[in-house]
Amino acid sequence: MILFGGLLLATAVSAAPAKAPAVLATVNGVAIRRTEMMDRAWREYGRAVLNERVDEILTTQAAAGLGVKPDAQEVEARLKRIQSQFPDEAAFSARLAADGTNLQGLRSQIETQNLRENLVAKAKNIQVTDAEVKGFFDANKERLASPEAVHLRNVQVNTEKEANDFLAAIKTGADFAKLASQVSLDNTTKGRGGDVGFVPRGTLLPEIEKAAFALKPGEVAGPVKTKFGYHVLKAEESRPAKPAVFEEIKVDLRRTMTADKITKAWPDYLQELRAKATIVLGK
């Protein structure tokens, strides 16, 4: 969810109107003028934004000099991974619109990020060897294993009576997801019919976890009382713990390790570009 938020923040700024009115608002007859707000914005944020723009130009120039371009396939893969975090296309589009951007704006931000990564990797000859990947796997095998998990639905209500009424409706044939979308107080999952997704053991509230992992697929349990209210749970699917298999995750490991090296190398490389550049500040 970090990549997504950062991209949308950058895009939302660029989505502002190119020409705002001279008077942005009046408060009891007192005008708030565009020039006043621009001056305030410059005082508070101007240097940071200017430095960002300088870095963008230096990055673009360095990339052109080394013949580096974004990887189109990687850009699309990342875009799809972001989209997969949303239950459907409508929810994804709504999030983009709420943040003042669109699909093309998000793709442009991913391209910029990927260009920077490819530039640093080439300029600093950043690579991750097979031996490094295997060594990391061997040292972190237990942490890389997949824990037992359950695909869970949850409805949250205020009272035990409401929870029991929900249970009674389910037992008489009501659709859990449809009913959860109508009555659940959990706004995070309400729009998805209470769908929490796969949840690994050790990440839920203790009282929820005890009930959830005792369920077989298709079973319903509750009411379960927590500090948030009363819950009714449904297990859609269970997934047993699975040890990490090197051949299955080595590609992802290499990607993660490469990204880590690039992230660590970026500040020093950027300083190198700045040191070589002629940057003249306006007066």
Side-chain angles (χ1 to χ4, degrees), residues 193-261:
D195 192 351
V196 182
F198 270 102
V199 186
R201 186 182 284 279
T203 59
L204 294 167
L205 292 171
E207 45 276 56
I208 294 285
E209 181 162 302
K210 181 179 179 181
F213 281 90
L215 292 171
K216 296 179 180 178
E219 289 184 341
V220 176
V224 177
K225 185 179 180 180
T226 71
K227 60 183 179 181
F228 300 107
Y230 289 85
H231 305 257
V232 178
L233 310 171
K234 180 181 180 182
E236 295 285 2
E237 186 180 352
S238 60
R239 190 163 63 193
K242 180 184 176 183
V245 178
F246 180 69
E247 290 300 322
E248 294 178 358
I249 66 172
K250 65 180 182 180
V251 173
D252 287 338
L253 279 183
R254 188 186 301 276
R255 181 187 297 118
T256 300
M257 294 172 69
T258 301
D260 184 59
K261 284 189 175 185

Side-chain angles (χ1 to χ4, degrees), residues 138-153:
D138 291 339
N140 297 274
K141 190 178 298 185
E142 291 186 8
R143 186 168 63 86
L144 294 170
S146 299
E148 180 185 7
V150 59
H151 182 182
L152 194 66
R153 286 188 187 271

Side-chain angles (χ1 to χ4, degrees), residues 39-253:
D39 288 343
R40 176 176 293 189
W42 171 253
R43 289 195 301 271
E44 295 184 7
Y45 310 110
R47 292 298 176 183
V49 175
L50 176 61
N51 282 329
E52 283 185 12
R53 183 59 184 139
V54 169
D55 293 344
E56 288 173 358
I57 293 173
L58 290 174
T59 299
T60 301
Q61 291 174 341
L66 292 176
V68 174
K69 297 180 180 180
D71 184 327
Q73 290 186 337
E74 176 63 18
V75 169
E76 290 306 312
R78 293 186 188 184
L79 185 59
K80 288 180 180 178
R81 285 198 292 272
I82 294 173
Q83 288 177 297
S84 70
Q85 299 174 25
F86 295 84
D88 51 45
E89 185 68 27
F92 177 59
S93 297
R95 173 60 187 274
L96 292 176
D99 285 275
T101 188
N102 53 34
L103 185 63
Q104 185 53 45
L106 178 58
R107 179 181 284 107
S108 177
Q109 291 296 313
I110 297 173
E111 287 175 346
T112 299
Q113 183 182 46
N114 183 242
L115 176 68
R116 188 185 77 177
E117 294 167 352
N118 293 346
L119 170 62
V120 179
K122 184 170 183 177
K124 293 300 182 181
N125 193 29
I126 292 176
Q127 299 178 18
V128 175
T129 66
D130 293 342
E132 286 178 298
V133 177
K134 188 62 167 63
F136 183 88
F137 174 84
D138 291 339
N140 297 274
K141 190 178 298 185
E142 291 186 8
R143 186 168 63 86
L144 294 170
S146 299
E148 180 185 7
V150 59
H151 182 182
L152 194 66
R153 286 188 187 271
N154 166 60
V155 63
Q156 176 188 325
V157 292
N158 280 323
T159 68
E160 186 174 9
K161 181 181 183 304
E162 289 175 305
N164 281 322
D165 289 345
F166 186 93
L167 269 172
I170 297 302
K171 291 177 180 178
T172 57
D175 182 85
F176 191 106
K178 184 175 181 179
L179 196 55
S181 68
Q182 296 171 355
V183 305
S184 183
L185 300 177
D186 182 359
N187 291 326
T188 302
T189 63
K190 181 177 181 179
R192 304 195 298 267
D195 192 351
V196 182
F198 270 102
V199 186
R201 186 182 284 279
T203 59
L204 294 167
L205 292 171
E207 45 276 56
I208 294 285
E209 181 162 302
K210 181 179 179 181
F213 281 90
L215 292 171
K216 296 179 180 178
E219 289 184 341
V220 176
V224 177
K225 185 179 180 180
T226 71
K227 60 183 179 181
F228 300 107
Y230 289 85
H231 305 257
V232 178
L233 310 171
K234 180 181 180 182
E236 295 285 2
E237 186 180 352
S238 60
R239 190 163 63 193
K242 180 184 176 183
V245 178
F246 180 69
E247 290 300 322
E248 294 178 358
I249 66 172
K250 65 180 182 180
V251 173
D252 287 338
L253 279 183

